[in-house]
Amino acid sequence: MYDSGKVIIGVLVFLALLLFPVWYNLASGEATTQGPELAKPVKGEACVLETAYMRSNHMDLLDDWRERVVRNGERIFAAPDGQHFEMSLTNTCLDCHADKEKFCDECHTFMAVDPYCWDCHIVPETPTRQEVTYVN
Amino acid sequence: MKALFSLVVVAVVVLLTVLAVSTSGGRTFFGTILPFAAIAIFLVGMIYRVVYWARSPVPFKITTTCGQQQSLSWIKNNNLEAPRNFLGVLGRMALEVFFFRSLFRNTKAELKSGPRLVYGDARWLWLAGLAFHWSFLVVFIRHFKFFVEPVPGWISIMQELDGFFQIGLPIFYITDGILLAAITFLFLRRVFNPQLRYLSLAGDYFPLFLIGALAISGVIMRYTTLRVDITDVKLLATGIVTLNPVVPESLGAVFFVHLTMLSVLLLYFPFSKLVHMAGVFMSPTRNMANDNRVRRHVNPWNHPVKTHSYEEWEDEFRDVMKAADMPLEKDVESK
């Protein structure tokens, strides 16, 4: 092999770059075969739409809600099962999924997604903190 | 016809995947076995190709004529076009790899009415090629977030920049659009230019369709309601790189088409024109310094030639020559 020094260096760089996920995971030791564990909702029987749909498409629903509330002034969402909900992230979604850190952030951090909901919305206090203030 | 053949091959692979992943065996095969095999064959194949090339000797230095070679001190040397040292070679190679400098010089010759032959620049290929390669690279690097935990900050920054304009939800990635637009142009160019259509082989169309299908299936999964639960995608992807394969239930046909297109691309890569990814580094007109006036380049396959120099010849006949009064380089006494 000619210029073997340079060729071997090139091949090693190629392997190091492409196998980045392998050595990065080995180094961090945090790769899991278990997905993020979400906090159970503090109340409510079922979500406004099916869980499977909400898992992958909740952003569509939230986007739709935002548009209908902010642009059209509608406030009430009629779910397919006949129930009615207020279209509100803070008052409806977070009413059941009370802990943003243990619900929203679990997947969003796992997938490095940074939704801009919280640019405008205030993160409500988590139930535990609320309890503490209530007792006092 | 060649385009059609390539399209049919890609369509058959897509259909096969869609049909197979309705069975659990098919899901295991397309979700774990095929990606594993593809990555292994890709890595081994690429190294094999590079080592194979590196074993071929370069008989002579190819002097490129697009820049002034280093010669006399008062003639300015263009170190990027005709490098005199390793640094210059690195610079020329970097410009080639990152900006496709030699493609930038692409020209065209057209026969206009008259008949009149007109020469001009042809930079659309360079522009589309650059757009395609860079956006594909960004898309590729962005996907590392599916393979690593925790996701490093620079990947998040890259995503944020890619979705800078915050169009739509989920936010539209500019590179997705550029990639699709560029690949469409690269395909149409082959179809609508008669000379190019004549030159194009199935091996030229196949990667275009393959990458097109890869990109479209990815776009479907991000921007349409056929979306998948990406945490499950991450479990599968992380499983592959930690040799711990899992195939989550929720992943549907579109995801498997995406994964299979990638696997087929990796499998096909080392055996096709796509190896230009490694080949560009092995191009003698790019990676050899133009220093043949300074350093002698010996052809490595030169056969040892039997020579008989004048010195040796004189040694042999010195006495006879002396006797005939012939001029000698070395005299008998001074020997």
Side-chain angles (χ1 to χ4, degrees):
Chain A
M1 190 159 79
Y2 298 93
D3 285 324
S4 50
K6 283 170 196 157
V7 172
I8 288 167
I9 290 172
V11 167
L12 289 179
V13 169
F14 168 74
L15 285 179
L17 287 178
L18 277 188
L19 296 180
F20 163 74
V22 175
W23 56 258
Y24 185 88
N25 281 331
L26 282 177
S28 79
E30 285 181 39
T32 54
T33 46
Q34 296 293 313
E37 296 220 354
L38 304 185
K40 290 272 173 233
V42 293
K43 61 176 195 180
E45 305 268 295
C47 204
V48 295
L49 292 172
E50 277 175 40
T51 311
Y53 175 85
M54 290 304 285
R55 263 183 177 272
S56 48
N57 294 323
H58 58 276
M59 66 296 271
D60 280 349
L61 182 79
L62 291 172
D63 192 28
D64 182 45
W65 279 17
R66 175 183 60 178
E67 188 135 328
R68 281 160 74 178
V69 171
V70 177
R71 304 240 166 100
N72 307 346
E74 297 171 40
R75 286 282 171 186
I76 303 302
F77 173 71
D81 62 358
Q83 280 188 283
H84 287 77
F85 297 94
E86 189 195 352
M87 291 191 279
S88 164
L89 175 68
T90 317
N91 296 336
T92 306
C93 303
L94 291 169
D95 200 29
C96 305
H97 305 290
D99 195 338
K100 173 191 168 261
E101 271 174 36
K102 293 206 176 100
F103 187 74
C104 309
D105 292 351
E106 279 290 326
C107 292
H108 290 159
T109 311
F110 185 61
M111 291 314 306
V113 178
D114 183 21
Y116 50 63
C117 311
W118 316 106
D119 290 3
C120 305
H121 285 269
I122 292 169
V123 182
E125 292 187 350
T126 53
T128 45
R129 274 184 237 145
Q130 256 171 6
E131 267 168 31
V132 171
T133 40
Y134 184 68
V135 168
N136 286 342
Chain B
M1 201 55 223
K2 288 161 190 157
L4 205 63
F5 171 75
S6 302
L7 185 64
V8 168
V9 173
V10 173
V12 165
V13 177
V14 170
L15 275 178
L16 216 66
T17 313
V18 172
L19 289 177
V21 297
S22 55
T23 65
S24 77
R27 293 172 71 87
T28 314
F29 178 76
F30 283 102
T32 59
I33 299 170
L34 187 64
F36 269 124
I39 293 170
I41 289 172
F42 171 73
L43 292 177
V44 174
M46 289 299 277
I47 294 171
Y48 170 78
R49 288 296 291 254
V50 168
V51 170
Y52 178 80
W53 284 327
R55 284 160 62 92
S56 320
V58 181
F60 43 77
K61 269 211 173 147
I62 301 170
T63 312
T64 44
T65 52
C66 41
Q68 174 60 51
Q69 195 180 49
Q70 170 79 355
S71 58
L72 299 167
S73 58
W74 42 272
I75 299 177
K76 203 170 168 235
N77 162 233
N78 185 341
N79 202 21
L80 277 178
E81 299 292 6
R84 62 175 177 277
N85 49 25
F86 184 63
L87 202 69
V89 172
L90 274 186
R92 178 167 70 177
M93 188 57 91
L95 284 174
E96 186 63 35
V97 170
F98 293 123
F99 303 110
F100 310 168
R101 196 172 163 85
S102 57
L103 195 56
F104 188 69
R105 281 193 272 259
N106 192 24
T107 54
K108 64 176 175 198
E110 262 176 61
L111 204 56
K112 301 241 163 149
S113 61
R116 196 159 55 93
L117 189 59
V118 178
Y119 296 95
D121 51 31
R123 300 215 166 111
W124 287 107
L125 173 63
W126 169 80
L127 189 68
L130 206 63
F132 166 74
H133 281 83
W134 275 106
S135 47
F136 201 173
L137 180 68
V138 172
V139 171
F140 180 75
I141 294 175
R142 271 204 278 104
H143 276 72
F144 275 155
K145 79 168 182 184
F146 288 102
F147 293 87
V148 296
E149 178 63 27
V151 179
W154 53 268
I155 293 183
S156 308
I157 293 171
M158 202 164 190
Q159 283 188 139
E160 215 129 288
L161 286 176
D162 205 348
F164 187 78
F165 294 106
Q166 296 199 341
I167 302 164
L169 200 105
I171 290 170
F172 172 68
Y173 285 138
I174 303 160
T175 48
D176 287 358
I178 299 178
L179 175 66
L180 281 174
I183 206 165
T184 307
F185 173 82
L186 292 173
F187 168 66
L188 293 179
R189 173 182 156 267
R190 287 191 183 277
V191 174
F192 285 112
N193 184 331
Q195 294 96 315
L196 212 58
R197 191 169 60 229
Y198 181 72
L199 288 171
S200 297
L201 305 171
D204 294 316
Y205 292 110
F206 183 65
L208 288 174
F209 288 129
L210 203 59
I211 295 169
L214 180 68
I216 289 169
S217 57
V219 160
I220 288 175
M221 276 191 292
R222 181 173 170 85
Y223 303 105
T224 76
T225 46
L226 284 173
R227 208 171 277 134
V228 287
D229 182 355
I230 53 173
T231 54
D232 281 346
V233 175
K234 181 157 182 173
L235 291 184
L236 184 141
T238 319
I240 288 173
V241 291
T242 53
L243 303 178
N244 216 341
V246 277
V247 183
E249 281 297 306
S250 78
L251 300 176
V254 187
F255 170 75
F256 280 100
V257 168
H258 191 65
L259 186 62
T260 304
M261 287 298 114
L262 178 71
S263 303
V264 173
L265 185 68
L266 288 176
L267 280 173
Y268 179 68
F269 213 97
F271 311 103
S272 65
K273 69 172 199 169
L274 299 175
V275 269
H276 69 261
M277 179 171 107
V280 66
F281 295 100
M282 311 297 278
S283 322
T285 59
R286 302 288 99 190
N287 69 10
M288 298 183 96
N290 271 20
D291 57 359
N292 33 1
R293 285 178 176 171
V294 186
R295 205 165 290 127
R296 181 157 183 249
H297 181 87
V298 180
N299 181 356
W301 77 56
N302 268 355
H303 188 74
V305 179
K306 213 179 159 206
T307 54
H308 192 58
S309 67
Y310 176 74
E311 262 181 339
E312 289 162 352
W313 187 82
E314 202 184 78
D315 287 345
E316 205 176 313
F317 296 106
R318 186 164 288 107
D319 299 335
V320 191
M321 289 167 80
K322 180 80 181 167
D325 269 345
M326 284 169 77
L328 289 168
E329 297 267 300
K330 284 187 221 162
D331 222 330
V332 184
E333 293 85 66
S334 69
K335 189 167 69 168

